[in-house]
Every structure is written in C-alpha cells, then in structure tokens.
Amino acid sequence: MKRKTFIKLSTTLMATPLLSSLEAFAQPERLKNWSGNLTYSTDNVFYPKSVAEVQQQVKKLNKLKGLGTRHCFNTIADSKDNLVSSKNLNKVVSLDKKAHTVTVEGGIKYGELAPYLHEQGVALHNLASLPHISVAGSCTTATHGSGIKNGNLASAVTGLEMVIADGSVVHLSKATDAEKLNAVVVGLGAIGIITKVTLQVQPTFMMRQRVFTDMPMAQVKQHFEKIVSAGYSVSLFTDWQKDSINEVWIKSKIGVDKDENSAEFYGAKAATKNLHPIIALSAENCTEQMGVPGPWYERLPHFKMGFTPSSGKELQSEFFVPLRHAVEAIAAVARLGKQIGPHLFITEIRTIAADNLWMSPCHNQTSVAIHFTWKQETAAVLKLLPLIEKELSPFNARPHWGKIFTMAPKILESRYEKLNDFKKIVAEYDPHGKFRNGFLNHELYNI
C-alpha cells in the first residue's frame, strides 16, 4: 500500500469514531413528558402554526398523534411514527360575552388563558391543580379540578373544531350536535387533532383558600359529604401513614361560600403558614393560602403558573368511584397504607360532579377521585397498582386516562357503557386508524 493511501485511510478510520460521536451529540434529544418518566418514541415532531398547516400534516402522514403539553404519564399521546404538537396553536380566537363563551386554539394553556379572561370580567367554572396544561389536552383526557358541584374541565366545552383523518375540518356545537359533541369531547386523541375549543364562561369571581391539618379519619367517615361541600373546591391530602388526613384545602368563593375562618375544622387545626401538599416541601410554588383574597385563577390551582408544580420527578395514578362509595373506597385504600407509603409522595382526594361525556370517568356519576403522586419508582408502582385496583374493584373504579393504571381492557369495557358507541364514532372519523397508537390498540381494542 502506498504511503499516501495508508495515511488517508488511517486518518479516516481515526476520525470516524469522533465524527460518529459528534453526530450523536448533535442529534436532538427525544422529547420526554413533563416528569421525565416517558420518552416519546419518535423524533418526527411537527409544530404547525395554523389550522391549514395541521391539515397539511394530517393529509401527508399515514400515522400520527396529537401532542399537548406532555403532562400525561402513560403512552396515550405517544407515537412511534409522528407527533403533531399544538404548542404554537395557543391564541384566544374570540370572546362572546353575550353567549358567555370563549373560543381558543387547542394548545393554549389554562395559565395563559385565565388572566386574559379575568381582565375581561369573566371566568371558567374550574381549573385543575396545575395551570400549565393545555385546554385541548385536558379536555380530551377528562382532566379535572375539585368541587362536588363542579364538572371536569371538559364539561365546559360547548364547541370543537377538529382536523380529522382525511385532513378536513369538522365543527361540532352543543347547540346543533349535542350528542356527538358528548361523544368526542373526551376523545382520548382517537378522533383527530383538536384545533379550537369553545368554552362556557361566567362572571369573574374572587376566592380565598384556607388549609387545615391532621383531620382524624373518623371525621371523614362520619362527615365526608359535609367536609367536601365546605367550599367551592375542597381537596384532602393524605400519605396513608396515620389514621388521619394530613391536610384539607378549602377554596371558597368570596361573597358566596362560608369562610371557614376558625381554629378548627372537623378536628383539623388551622394552618399557621402556607403549606405544600407534600408538607416537607416548600410552599413557594403553591397558590396563596391563609384566607388572602385573590382572583379565581390564582386560587383554584394548587400551584402557580411560573413555578415547577408538585414534586417534579414523579409518577401519577388516579381512580374514580361513585360518591356514594367514597368512605368505603378510602377505607379500602387505607388498608394498603403500609405497602403504599414507601413509594408515595402524597394522595389527593377530590370530588367531581357528574357529566354526560361518553368517555369521562364521571359519566353519569358524581365521583370521588383518589389520586396518587408516586415517587418515580416504576417497578414498585406497577406492582402496587393491581392491589389498589383490586381493592377498588367493588366500586367499579375508573382510571384517569392520562395516568398510569393496569386494568385489563375487558374491565374498562365493562365500566364504560358507551365504549362500543364511542368506537363507532372513532371509525366514522378515522376509518383506517390514522390516530390509533399502542395505547388505544390495547386499552380500547384489546389488540
């Protein structure tokens, strides 16, 4: 071999590992969900800025999923093929004060929308504990806040605009397509890309928030409905390690609800400072407590928009049971307290009003939601969930669609009376399964 050739080959071979390393380093890191427990299965992520661009992508791609703010903890929004993000579809389209509605693009976050509404003198009926989530993503998974008379976030929807599988735009309205709207609002990402949402609004209002600590579980057993009805929105937090509720958060409408401004509430003591739901953590990122008045959007969520919510690196599960079974269901989970405790940050117990949305966990039943914020210990959590689901089985518990659960598809089918009708609607809009993914194939189609 000639010396020149040898040098050229040697140089190339020596450079190859370095170039490979540099190329790998230059590759963008794959998207993860908010808590980091899920890495999405494709690098093909599109960020359309208009409905027309969404249509173009949907027509062009054979398989895809819509992606919101990535706050789901399972693979409901994952795709091994293509993701179409609503991140740039984040504007207010119109506010109709006469009709009491606001129309927004699907990717807008509640924390972005709410201050605008308040400035305009209107409000939404409720918010989730995090304001960081998008309107379309929250509604399609039946995300909720709290309040025995408050439906989940999707219950405020009076109209939808979607891009369906053939790339056409479909408009549905409560006024003209009420039953079809009920079918598709909680659509699980199976029907199309939600580009616009119309929400019911009401006059704006002010609230205050008070927190009480160490409520004896005996009080919960005897007075559950009175406790959760003590404010516009009430949450109970427990780690199941004592026969008590760690914290009770009461969010009250000023001028409407009684202000629970007392030293004691059903055996719980009034907090003397702002608290985090996980009591060991700083309350800096939590919304103001201690009865300080503030607008609805600064009190209904537990966490401020500008801060990292909850604990950050975590897993979440949640199960809904009918209100009439609340005390029994809480007692059933409490029996697992010693097993749950080492892997849990906190459990939140909330109430949600019944709705008529086909795939909502609160369909036709006012519900109690038992929510678990887990340490990011996936193997341990996946061992615990079947035990929890078994304990809650007598109450026909339904899981939150965007969180981690292990219920068999046949069980889900038995607990959602409209599931087969929903699948017919899916087939109407997406006959070839363009928006189907592994999650939907398994949970809805048992494939």
Side-chain angles (χ1 to χ4, degrees), residues 74-357:
N74 59 28
T75 57
I76 190 170
D78 192 22
S79 172
K80 63 182 178 60
D81 301 294
N82 303 284
L83 295 168
V84 175
S85 170
S86 62
K87 180 180 178 180
N88 295 321
L89 298 171
N90 60 359
K91 299 174 185 64
V92 176
V93 178
S94 64
L95 175 63
D96 189 336
K97 291 188 179 182
K98 191 173 180 181
H100 307 292
T101 60
V102 63
T103 299
V104 299
E105 292 181 326
I108 195 169
K109 298 174 184 176
Y110 283 96
E112 298 165 341
L113 173 61
Y116 164 80
L117 293 179
H118 181 65
E119 287 173 8
Q120 299 298 315
V122 296
L124 299 172
H125 79 289
N126 211 352
L127 293 171
S129 58
L130 309 181
H132 309 67
I133 53 182
S134 70
V135 170
S138 302
C139 292
T140 204
T141 55
T143 295
H144 61 93
S146 185
I148 202 163
K149 296 179 181 178
N150 301 324
N152 63 32
L153 303 186
S155 67
V157 175
T158 64
L160 277 184
E161 176 187 275
M162 302 180 298
V163 176
I164 60 172
D166 64 4
S168 63
V169 177
V170 170
H171 295 89
L172 296 175
S173 164
K174 195 171 187 178
T176 57
D177 315 283
E179 196 58 13
K180 188 159 275 191
L181 188 67
N182 289 339
V184 306
V185 169
V186 183
L188 313 181
I191 295 170
I193 305 293
I194 299 171
T195 47
K196 292 186 180 72
V197 185
T198 300
L199 302 168
Q200 192 80 37
V201 296
Q202 59 182 280
T204 195
F205 53 94
M206 300 290 284
M207 301 192 77
R208 60 168 55 93
Q209 182 169 218
R210 297 193 185 276
V211 176
F212 296 83
T213 62
D214 295 320
M215 175 181 285
M217 197 64 83
Q219 295 284 351
V220 176
K221 292 174 183 174
Q222 294 170 33
H223 306 291
F224 181 80
E225 286 199 41
K226 288 182 179 178
I227 291 166
V228 296
S229 301
Y232 187 81
S233 170
V234 177
S235 294
L236 313 181
F237 294 94
T238 181
D239 59 6
W240 308 105
Q241 298 311 291
K242 298 181 293 182
D243 195 26
S244 63
I245 296 294
N246 299 28
E247 300 176 27
V248 181
W249 289 37
I250 303 174
K251 303 168 189 277
S252 304
K253 255 186 171 181
I254 293 174
V256 177
D257 300 319
K258 177 188 174 185
D259 178 19
E260 294 292 343
N261 185 17
S262 58
E264 190 172 319
F265 176 75
Y266 287 96
K269 306 298 182 187
T272 57
K273 63 178 182 178
N274 284 357
L275 296 177
H276 191 287
I278 304 168
I279 203 162
L281 298 184
S282 166
E284 180 187 15
N285 60 354
C286 297
T287 49
E288 193 65 44
Q289 301 159 30
M290 304 302 294
V292 177
W296 56 280
Y297 69 92
E298 291 183 352
R299 295 296 177 272
L300 283 170
H302 300 330
F303 302 100
K304 299 173 186 175
M305 181 64 180
F307 289 76
T308 299
S310 198
S311 72
K313 191 177 180 182
E314 62 192 57
L315 304 174
Q316 292 184 12
S317 301
E318 187 170 33
F319 301 97
F320 300 73
V321 300
L323 177 64
R324 66 183 180 276
H325 294 310
V327 172
E328 299 165 278
I330 291 167
V333 176
R335 289 194 287 270
L336 298 172
K338 287 185 179 179
Q339 292 161 273
I340 290 171
H343 311 288
L344 184 75
F345 283 122
I346 202 70
T347 283
E348 181 178 8
I349 300 168
R350 290 177 281 182
T351 52
I352 308 98
D355 59 56
N356 51 13
L357 308 174

Side-chain angles (χ1 to χ4, degrees), residues 407-425:
M407 283 182 193
K410 287 293 183 186
I411 293 176
L412 290 176
E413 185 177 0
S414 71
R415 294 179 188 176
Y416 282 89
E417 61 190 62
K418 301 289 281 185
L419 179 56
N420 287 325
D421 292 329
F422 175 73
K423 287 193 279 189
K424 290 175 186 175
I425 294 287

